[in-house]
Amino acid sequence: MNIETTDYKRCTVVKTSGRIDGSNASVLGQALKGITSGGTYNIIFDMTDVNFIASAGWWILIDTQKTCKPSGELVLVNVEKGIRDSLNLVGMGSYFRIYDDLTTAVGSF
Amino acid sequence: MPTKRFTCSLQNLEAICDYITHYAKQAGLDEAEVYAVQLAVDEATTNIIEHGYGDECASRIDISCEVLKDGLKVEIYDDAEPFDPSSVPEPEINVPLDEIKPRGLGIYLIRKMMDEVRYESSPEKGSILTMFKWHKK
């Protein structure tokens, strides 16, 4: 799993691609922990190139959101319809602000 | 009914997804229905590997797909410890963030994503999870 991080003035953008499932969710978890342990709690997860996320991946995002709040927030960008529908189905959609484009998400911090 | 055998490894999740996606598309399911099948099968096989066998091992997971007139049938066979899905409590959803607990979501998703789910298990024969996804009416 390739994970890119880009630091902006008020937030950090994390981007990966492909699938997030039980085989690689922990890699994403370690990357996000590395960011929050450095004191950054405003995080954007850019999901433009993510085409599948299993519950193992959602728990990583939920854990990160718990760590970020209330000092900051994890927001999601460009969430594919299938992923967004399944997220809403289990009531997890309400835990994240979701933006359709990165510029607006960066500007929200 | 075509059947493919996979070893018990989380590294096989992507190959399993590719396998069932082929039949889901052949069955004429739309994009959202294909994603629902992918998610249900991923959650089911992850549960078998992590909770059924307890770890990655050389044991088998056999996955059969049957294209039906009205949709897709998927059967997942394993010979791990028998397991009763009804014993898993439904996850608490729509609760405040700090109250959400990481349990029971996989089985809940399987039930929600698929239109019909059956589970048979015995120590002698192993376990078969049978799931159906129908075309939108």
Side-chain angles (χ1 to χ4, degrees):
Chain A
M1 176 185 254
N2 186 34
I3 298 172
E4 294 169 29
T5 62
T6 309
D7 293 327
Y8 286 78
K9 194 174 176 185
R10 293 193 175 83
C11 63
T12 292
V13 177
V14 179
K15 187 172 184 181
T16 188
S17 59
R19 294 169 53 85
I20 302 169
D21 59 26
S23 72
N24 61 7
S26 61
V27 179
L28 176 64
Q30 282 163 10
L32 290 166
K33 265 195 186 131
I35 294 166
T36 53
S37 64
T40 297
Y41 299 110
N42 289 341
I43 302 173
I44 296 170
F45 185 40
D46 185 346
M47 296 176 69
T48 305
D49 298 324
V50 173
N51 55 26
F52 180 87
I53 179 161
S55 62
W58 292 348
W59 290 123
I60 296 295
L61 299 181
I62 291 280
D63 273 348
T64 305
Q65 187 69 296
K66 285 181 177 178
T67 305
C68 288
K69 286 193 168 184
S71 312
E73 186 179 0
L74 169 68
V75 304
L76 311 179
V77 166
N78 262 333
V79 184
E80 205 174 79
K81 187 179 177 301
I83 297 174
R84 196 187 288 225
D85 287 349
S86 53
L87 194 66
N88 288 334
L89 182 74
V90 293
M92 286 186 172
S94 61
Y95 300 138
F96 303 98
R97 279 192 294 153
I98 299 177
Y99 291 94
D100 291 334
D101 69 277
L102 186 57
T103 308
T104 311
V106 171
S108 74
F109 284 109
Chain B
M1 188 157 61
T3 301
K4 191 162 181 178
R5 177 162 293 180
F6 297 88
T7 55
C8 173
S9 168
L10 293 171
Q11 298 307 319
N12 284 333
L13 291 173
E14 187 166 4
I16 290 170
C17 182
D18 290 344
Y19 174 69
I20 55 110
T21 299
H22 169 78
Y23 290 101
K25 287 182 176 171
Q26 210 175 73
L29 299 180
D30 69 20
E31 205 177 321
E33 291 162 344
V34 171
Y35 189 84
V37 174
Q38 290 174 337
L39 187 53
V41 171
D42 185 280
E43 296 292 339
T45 46
T46 300
N47 272 352
I48 292 167
I49 295 164
E50 291 188 335
H51 304 300
Y53 290 115
D55 204 352
E56 303 211 347
C57 60
S59 298
R60 62 184 178 164
I61 299 172
D62 290 342
I63 303 185
S64 307
C65 293
E66 186 176 359
V67 175
L68 306 171
K69 190 175 145 227
D70 299 325
L72 179 74
K73 175 184 178 184
V74 181
E75 270 188 6
I76 304 177
Y77 171 85
D78 70 84
D79 55 5
E81 279 292 303
F83 163 75
D84 177 10
S86 64
S87 67
V88 179
E90 288 218 340
E92 291 172 7
I93 60 172
N94 294 314
V95 295
L97 180 68
D98 53 0
E99 289 175 23
I100 189 165
K101 295 181 180 73
R103 64 183 183 199
L105 189 59
I107 290 165
Y108 181 75
L109 272 169
I110 293 166
R111 290 190 190 121
K112 287 282 183 188
M113 290 289 152
M114 301 303 279
D115 294 315
E116 203 177 322
V117 179
R118 298 178 204 150
Y119 185 77
E120 296 166 56
S121 181
S122 74
E124 301 80 30
K125 292 183 180 171
S127 305
I128 300 174
L129 178 69
T130 306
M131 305 185 285
F132 295 87
K133 188 71 183 172
W134 309 117
H135 299 139
K136 276 198 189 84
K137 298 279 187 252

